[in-house]
Amino acid sequence: MPPTSSTSKKSIHHLPISAQYLSVLCSGIAEMDNRSAPTVERSDPPTRKPLWRSQAINKFTQQNLPACKPVLTPTWVILTFLLIGTIFIPIGLVCLHASRSVVEIVDRYDIDCVPEQFKSNKLGYIKDSSYPKNCSRTLKVNRHMKAPIYIYYQLDNYYQNHRRYVKSRSNQQLLHGLGSNKTSLCKPEQSNNGLPIVPCGLVAWSLFNDTYKFIRGKSELNVNRKNIAWKSDRDHKFGKHVYPFNFQNGTLIGGGKLNSSVPLSDQEDLIVWMRTAALPSFRKLYGRIEENLHANDVIVVNLMNNYNTYSFGGKKKLVLSTSSWLGGKNDFPGFAYIFVGSYCIVIAIVFMLLHVKNSRNTHVGYN
């Protein structure tokens, strides 16, 4: 049966109510989504780098910058090795000649300056202050030595580069004296009888104290002991108004003593000693002889063998040396240049023979 007019009116009456309900429901869901969604702050867009800068960075990262790109052909390689060899060998010969022109006299005296009755107990001899430590040595000059002639003392098997030894000092105290309290690293030579030690530490405590006098014929040679330390050390590391205080007054005496009326900046033997050596065998400057020594001159050295190297098996040597434009006697730079130059020439010859051989094989293959 077809629907009656009352039924159709009822369905038409409920249609707008359903649409209204759906509209309210959708708006509520949208409002809940807006509340639950996190707020996102807008940031300014990143500033773009200039175009030229981007291109430059791109060229750098891609290794496209303009540069010299030599083509290493066999001819260029052979000529380069030959050039290095021909330059290095003459330089090595010049350095070697300069080193060989230095006249050097080396005399080890630590064993011969021990009396015969103490040969088996050297340590007991050096520690006993009742026995005299004076000793006489004779040096003969074989070649003419032009002034200035440098006097060095050389110590072997002496590890001044030991970590605890190197740190046992106070640079602030050396510069400012008793006004500095940064002396904790100086132990055990930090204080004595409740009073601070200036200069403190094991480095200063073990100061070398052998002395030398040189006699030629009947006259004593004058030894200049001024300006033997670095000027920068004298001016900037050791105070001009800092004086030794309570130094070497303990029961255990290390090395030499210092004049308490002379500031540290003027005690250059201490300044030289405080610049610690990197190797166990080293030389330190003692002074200079300001006059020439002729060939066949006989030099008598009166020395005081005070310093204890017997307790650790060390050696003491006296060195007289001239100098050249290269410095003291040192053959290593000359031999190094000669070795590298010779090696380059040998490599160049080998490459040349290989290049000739490969060229012939290539021509034979083409034919």
Side-chain angles (χ1 to χ4, degrees), residues 139 214-221 293 297-300 302:
L139 306 178
F214 301 88
I215 299 173
R216 180 175 59 179
K218 296 182 179 181
S219 61
E220 181 178 345
L221 296 174
L293 297 180
D297 278 352
V298 177
I299 308 298
V300 178
N302 294 327

Side-chain angles (χ1 to χ4, degrees), residues 72-218:
L72 296 179
T73 62
T75 304
W76 272 105
V77 172
I78 293 170
L79 291 177
T80 301
F81 276 109
L82 285 176
L83 181 63
I84 294 174
T86 54
I87 292 176
F88 272 40
I89 290 179
I91 293 177
L93 293 174
V94 172
C95 294
L96 197 59
H97 179 267
S99 176
R100 296 295 174 87
S101 66
V102 174
V103 183
E104 192 174 86
I105 302 174
V106 181
D107 177 55
R108 180 182 177 182
Y109 63 88
D110 58 304
I111 295 179
D112 295 337
C113 286
V114 176
E116 287 295 332
Q117 63 269 27
F118 291 100
K119 290 293 185 181
S120 59
N121 187 18
K122 301 182 181 67
L123 186 59
Y125 163 75
I126 201 68
K127 286 185 175 181
D128 194 340
S129 59
S130 62
Y131 289 98
K133 302 299 188 296
N134 58 305
C135 179
S136 180
R137 306 288 294 170
T138 301
L139 306 178
K140 184 178 180 180
V141 181
N142 295 322
R143 294 166 55 190
H144 178 76
M145 301 181 72
K146 185 179 179 181
I149 301 168
Y150 297 93
I151 306 169
Y152 300 92
Y153 56 88
Q154 178 175 329
L155 298 178
D156 297 332
N157 198 36
Y158 195 117
Y159 289 85
Q160 268 198 322
N161 59 351
H162 193 281
R163 181 173 177 269
R164 290 186 62 188
Y165 182 87
V166 171
K167 293 180 65 176
S168 184
R169 60 189 294 167
S170 174
N171 293 325
Q172 293 295 324
Q173 189 201 63
L174 293 174
L175 186 60
H176 301 293
L178 293 173
S180 174
N181 296 323
K182 298 180 179 180
T183 59
S184 59
L185 295 176
C186 292
K187 295 178 180 179
E189 293 299 319
Q190 181 182 9
S191 61
N192 181 40
N193 296 326
L195 297 176
I197 298 174
V198 181
C200 68
L202 292 174
V203 183
W205 175 80
S206 60
L207 173 64
F208 186 81
N209 61 340
D210 284 4
T211 59
Y212 312 99
K213 290 184 179 180
F214 301 88
I215 299 173
R216 180 175 59 179
K218 296 182 179 181

